Amino acid sequence: MDRSTIVRALVLTVTTAFAAAALAMPAQARHRVHADILPAVTPRAETPVLHDDDAGGNADADDPAIWRNAAAPGRSLVVATAKEGGLRVYDLDARLVQSIAAPPSADEEDAPGRFNNVDLVHGLMVPSGKADLAVTSDRGNDRLRFYRIDRDRAGGPLSDVTDPATPPVFSQDQAEINDQRTAYGLATWTDPATGKSYALVSRRERTSIALLELMPTARGKVTYRKVRTLDLPSSFRLPNGTSWSPCAEPGELPQVEGMVVDQVNGMLYAGQEDIGIWRMRADLTGTPKLIDKVREYGVPGVYDEKTEECTAGADPGFGGTKISADVEGLTLLTEPDGEGYILASSQGDNTFAAYDRELKDDNEYEGGFRVAAASDALDGSEECDGAAVLNAPLGSKYPNGLLVVQDGHDAPADGDRASTNFKFVDLGEVMDALDG
């Protein structure tokens, strides 16, 4: 038996022993044990802090995307959403390059623009030639917005190319938009068979996912048309024969936010926050499959209108063992040999889970890691909303590639202000943690 096999056997033995001991613990204690035995990686840099208050422009870090500059990889960019704060663009030193405001409300009674998730489209054919685009879901207006990427453009690398006539994704009128059951999670997909590009968009407080075909106009703008929608389940049959739905405010259904498409096999992975991770065809045909459940799956709860919180009942033991609600921030780590991982933010225990990308292995769990503090001044990631990974050299800063994760509680904190930002992690460190 070689050394690596012995080490893996020892790790499996220790992990099994921890798991057996954890079965008798309360749920929160079990989550801490799982998180503590996972390897830790540390960030190399972090973006300037954002504050979700009037003084901070109601900016709240949420979701990143990594754009690689093929001509000069060291001058690549990270594009990230800041909700009502719009978009932020950072260089590889995590310095701010450009800030783009979300659209103001059309009327004082209407919701303002609120950029929730972002993804990229590469090589979309527009009248002037092929263009790379950043696409963001504007939750405030129930629309998508499009920004062309040109690293050396005067005034900043992103320019707005959204067709003013883009329709709402889900809503019928402004009154329905103001209810904010609007465009939420986002992933892009280019069908290799047709060359057409699409956005897959989830709906806030609903289980719907819409497939939108992206359509350049003759004027160089970009719009879209809805192809079809798919609704994931909102209630589930448990092994004991009972029906279960996760506890929520009355009228709310278990929503999807984190999504990513494996462009090679055309599969969409979608995180239904209180349920688990689904796999389905990116064209939204066929039957979705739940590949893993959150630990809280099946746990009954009672909503308290006074506290606006749920009180959980006894755990019947029907949930998963690797991720804790909310499941967020799905991203795809590809490898040159066709292997790789789907990475998911397990927000409930501040960890990240990795699942095998290959369908023949049925997306089995491959391990996980934590993003821990590098120093007192450079903290890790807690309650991570969004994540993006790119397994390609990015100059001297990140020759092994880059993982960017949102931090929902930046430290050191600025009093009681809500403080968020993004952490930059060397992908080589992540690969060592997953391969160890």
Side-chain angles (χ1 to χ4, degrees), residues 229-289:
T229 60
L230 177 148
D231 290 333
L232 292 172
S234 60
S235 64
F236 301 83
R237 196 60 139 179
L238 300 179
N240 62 6
T242 63
S243 181
W244 170 81
S245 295
C247 179
E249 184 175 339
E252 292 185 7
L253 300 181
Q255 66 190 11
V256 168
E257 184 172 10
M259 297 191 292
V260 68
V261 175
D262 190 331
Q263 305 282 343
V264 172
N265 57 34
M267 287 294 169
L268 168 68
Y269 296 89
Q272 196 172 12
E273 295 178 350
D274 296 318
I275 307 298
I277 301 172
W278 293 90
R279 183 184 73 213
M280 66 201 81
R281 289 174 55 96
D283 63 6
L284 301 187
T285 62
T287 303
K289 178 178 181 180

Side-chain angles (χ1 to χ4, degrees), residues 52 60 62 81-84 102-103 110-117 136-145 168-171 174 176-186 201-205 252 255-257 273 385:
D52 191 10
D60 185 10
D62 194 300
T81 59
K83 296 185 179 173
E84 283 188 36
D110 293 338
R114 186 178 178 91
F115 290 175
N116 211 67
N117 280 193
T136 184
S137 54
D138 182 353
R139 164 179 151 189
N141 290 296
D142 195 25
R143 287 169 168 84
L144 300 188
R145 298 195 67 86
V169 177
F170 296 105
S171 306
Q174 186 62 45
E176 192 174 353
I177 291 173
N178 290 342
D179 288 337
Q180 290 294 281
R181 283 178 175 157
T182 48
Y184 201 60
L186 171 75
V201 186
S202 65
R203 187 176 192 182
R204 182 173 178 263
E205 298 178 357
E252 292 185 7
Q255 66 190 11
V256 168
E257 184 172 10
E273 295 178 350
D385 274 338

Side-chain angles (χ1 to χ4, degrees), residues 33-347:
V33 167
H34 173 76
D36 289 345
I37 64 174
L38 291 177
V41 300
T42 56
R44 287 190 174 180
E46 64 180 344
T47 62
V49 68
L50 299 175
H51 295 294
D52 191 10
D53 54 27
D54 289 342
N58 299 313
D60 185 10
D62 194 300
D63 187 49
I66 305 168
W67 176 78
R68 186 173 188 268
N69 186 340
R75 300 185 70 242
S76 298
L77 299 169
V78 173
V79 183
T81 59
K83 296 185 179 173
E84 283 188 36
L87 281 180
R88 298 292 191 272
V89 184
Y90 305 102
D91 64 17
L92 294 181
D93 289 309
R95 297 175 302 200
L96 183 65
V97 173
Q98 186 179 12
S99 179
I100 296 174
S105 56
D107 185 274
E108 62 180 14
E109 295 183 358
D110 293 338
R114 186 178 178 91
F115 290 175
N116 211 67
N117 280 193
V118 64
D119 205 349
L120 305 179
V121 174
H122 299 279
L124 186 73
M125 185 58 69
V126 296
S128 60
K130 290 184 177 180
D132 291 348
L133 300 180
V135 185
T136 184
S137 54
D138 182 353
R139 164 179 151 189
N141 290 296
D142 195 25
R143 287 169 168 84
L144 300 188
R145 298 195 67 86
F146 304 92
Y147 296 87
R148 183 166 183 162
I149 304 172
D150 181 351
R151 186 65 173 87
D152 298 313
R153 188 183 76 91
L158 267 60
S159 56
D160 192 345
V161 292
T162 310
D163 189 326
T166 54
V169 177
F170 296 105
S171 306
Q172 298 300 311
D173 52 33
Q174 186 62 45
E176 192 174 353
I177 291 173
N178 290 342
D179 288 337
Q180 290 294 281
R181 283 178 175 157
T182 48
Y184 201 60
L186 171 75
T188 59
W189 170 52
T190 298
D191 185 349
T194 64
K196 294 180 179 180
S197 292
Y198 300 87
L200 291 128
V201 186
S202 65
R203 187 176 192 182
R204 182 173 178 263
E205 298 178 357
R206 288 293 180 263
T207 68
S208 303
I209 301 173
L211 178 68
L212 308 177
E213 182 185 351
L214 307 187
M215 303 170 62
T217 71
R219 296 172 296 170
K221 304 295 185 180
V222 182
T223 187
Y224 46 83
R225 69 174 187 91
K226 187 180 296 184
V227 178
R228 64 180 60 91
T229 60
L230 177 148
D231 290 333
L232 292 172
S234 60
S235 64
F236 301 83
R237 196 60 139 179
L238 300 179
N240 62 6
T242 63
S243 181
W244 170 81
S245 295
C247 179
E249 184 175 339
E252 292 185 7
L253 300 181
Q255 66 190 11
V256 168
E257 184 172 10
M259 297 191 292
V260 68
V261 175
D262 190 331
Q263 305 282 343
V264 172
N265 57 34
M267 287 294 169
L268 168 68
Y269 296 89
Q272 196 172 12
E273 295 178 350
D274 296 318
I275 307 298
I277 301 172
W278 293 90
R279 183 184 73 213
M280 66 201 81
R281 289 174 55 96
D283 63 6
L284 301 187
T285 62
T287 303
K289 178 178 181 180
L290 191 60
I291 65 170
D292 201 5
K293 304 180 184 74
V294 297
R295 293 183 177 91
E296 298 81 0
Y297 181 93
V299 176
V302 177
Y303 182 78
D304 187 328
E305 291 188 1
K306 292 182 179 179
T307 63
E308 297 183 345
E309 293 182 353
C310 289
T311 301
D315 186 347
F318 300 137
T321 61
K322 305 300 189 296
I323 49 176
S324 294
D326 294 349
V327 57
E328 300 261 4
L330 269 63
T331 186
L332 183 70
L333 196 171
T334 61
E335 296 184 273
D337 58 4
E339 297 185 353
Y341 305 98
I342 300 109
L343 303 181
S345 166
S346 173
Q347 196 176 73

